[in-house]
Amino acid sequence: MLIIPAIDLKDGACVRLRQGLMDDATVFSDDPVAMAAKWVEAGCRRLHLVDLNGAFEGQPVNGEVVTAIARRYPDLPIQIGGGIRSLETIEHYVRAGVSYVIIGTKAVKQPEFVGEACRAFPGKVIVGLDAKDGFVATDGWAEVSSVQAVDLARRFEADGVSAIVYTDIAKDGMMQGCNVEATVALANASRIPVIASGGIHNIGDIQKLLDTNTPGIIGAITGRAIYEGTLDVAEAQALCDLKFKDE
């Protein structure tokens, strides 16, 4: 299982939100490239980038920063989400050196687009399912749909999606632990690998995910915890590596 540091971009800065609220943002750095360097030096093997402005505006806003990070670390897998709603945007990011694009809102509103994107960019597409009480939210979490996350995940099994990033909105940024039960349920309900997201606070939360022995959970995204120092990236990754080495 990979520990995946998150770099959330708002107005060119690295921030963290609480429960997806743009007006409840904490700025951690005005140099996202330097922040990426910090996590790379800590031993991370993948980065999770989010264009928060893009998620609300429906098109990339912080694309230059994303490109700068990808060019600085050409061999590091990078996944980017936020405002990705066209094949042109995906092509731009792939050309910039990004390994995976995360389709969120459009996956809910136009699920056929996911298959189209997978065919155009095989192996490059991740679906982001952000849920509240099991129902998928869209448009930067501003709207909650009537679609169940598990049902939508099954819908994408035949499309060739590389992974699903599953976030429980109620947990995100709150440092109260991720929704392990819902994450495991999603991983068991679909053949698509799942990346856990939202609420991870410390090494105990990583241990809880590992203790489920769910092979479908391939990673855990962490944000506020690593910025506020309650979780150490290197220690967490070492724990994951030990778990799978023992098996």
Side-chain angles (χ1 to χ4, degrees):
M1 190 172 84
L2 293 177
I3 300 300
I4 309 173
I7 297 179
D8 289 1
L9 303 167
K10 181 176 183 280
D11 305 328
C14 174
V15 308
R16 289 301 293 168
L17 307 185
R18 291 184 189 274
Q19 297 183 320
L21 300 174
M22 285 290 270
D23 58 358
D24 192 357
T26 304
V27 177
F28 285 104
S29 172
D30 58 4
D31 189 346
V33 179
M35 188 57 71
K38 178 178 180 178
W39 305 134
V40 170
E41 289 165 9
C44 80
R45 298 173 200 159
R46 185 185 292 200
L47 276 179
H48 176 78
L49 308 185
V50 181
D51 183 345
L52 293 171
N53 301 103
F56 282 87
E57 297 188 24
Q59 60 186 11
V61 176
N62 293 282
E64 290 184 8
V65 176
V66 176
T67 299
I69 293 173
R71 288 179 176 168
R72 173 87 173 263
Y73 298 103
D75 298 324
L76 179 72
I78 292 172
Q79 57 192 49
I80 171 69
I84 299 175
R85 301 178 194 176
S86 73
L87 294 180
E88 289 76 18
T89 298
I90 296 175
E91 182 176 15
H92 165 78
Y93 279 132
V94 170
R95 287 182 178 274
V98 171
S99 303
Y100 306 98
V101 295
I102 302 169
I103 302 174
T105 293
K106 190 130 181 174
V108 182
K109 296 188 171 181
Q110 291 180 246
E112 65 276 4
F113 175 72
V114 172
E116 187 180 352
C118 286
R119 289 190 292 274
F121 303 97
K124 299 288 187 181
V125 176
I126 290 174
V127 167
L129 296 184
D130 306 326
K132 187 172 186 179
D133 300 322
F135 291 93
V136 178
T138 64
D139 299 284
W141 301 353
E143 298 179 19
V144 178
S145 73
S146 59
V147 180
Q148 290 270 8
V150 169
D151 293 338
L152 197 56
R154 290 177 178 143
R155 161 75 171 74
F156 297 129
E157 281 188 333
D159 288 327
V161 171
S162 293
I164 288 173
V165 171
Y166 179 71
T167 305
D168 185 312
I169 296 173
K171 297 283 190 178
D172 191 69
M174 301 306 289
M175 306 264 283
Q176 297 172 351
C178 70
N179 191 331
V180 175
E181 184 178 343
T183 304
V184 169
L186 185 68
N188 288 334
S190 166
R191 294 191 299 271
I192 304 173
V194 172
I195 297 172
S197 174
I200 288 174
H201 177 228
N202 55 31
I203 197 78
D205 294 324
I206 302 300
Q207 187 67 60
K208 287 176 184 176
L209 281 171
L210 293 172
D211 286 345
T212 68
N213 293 310
T214 307
I217 300 176
I218 62 167
I221 294 169
T222 175
R224 186 174 290 274
I226 58 175
Y227 290 96
E228 296 190 352
T230 61
L231 180 70
D232 181 272
V233 171
E235 180 187 9
Q237 187 60 65
L239 178 68
C240 295
D241 292 346
L242 180 63
K243 163 79 173 177
F244 290 99
K245 180 183 179 182
D246 289 344
E247 293 180 356

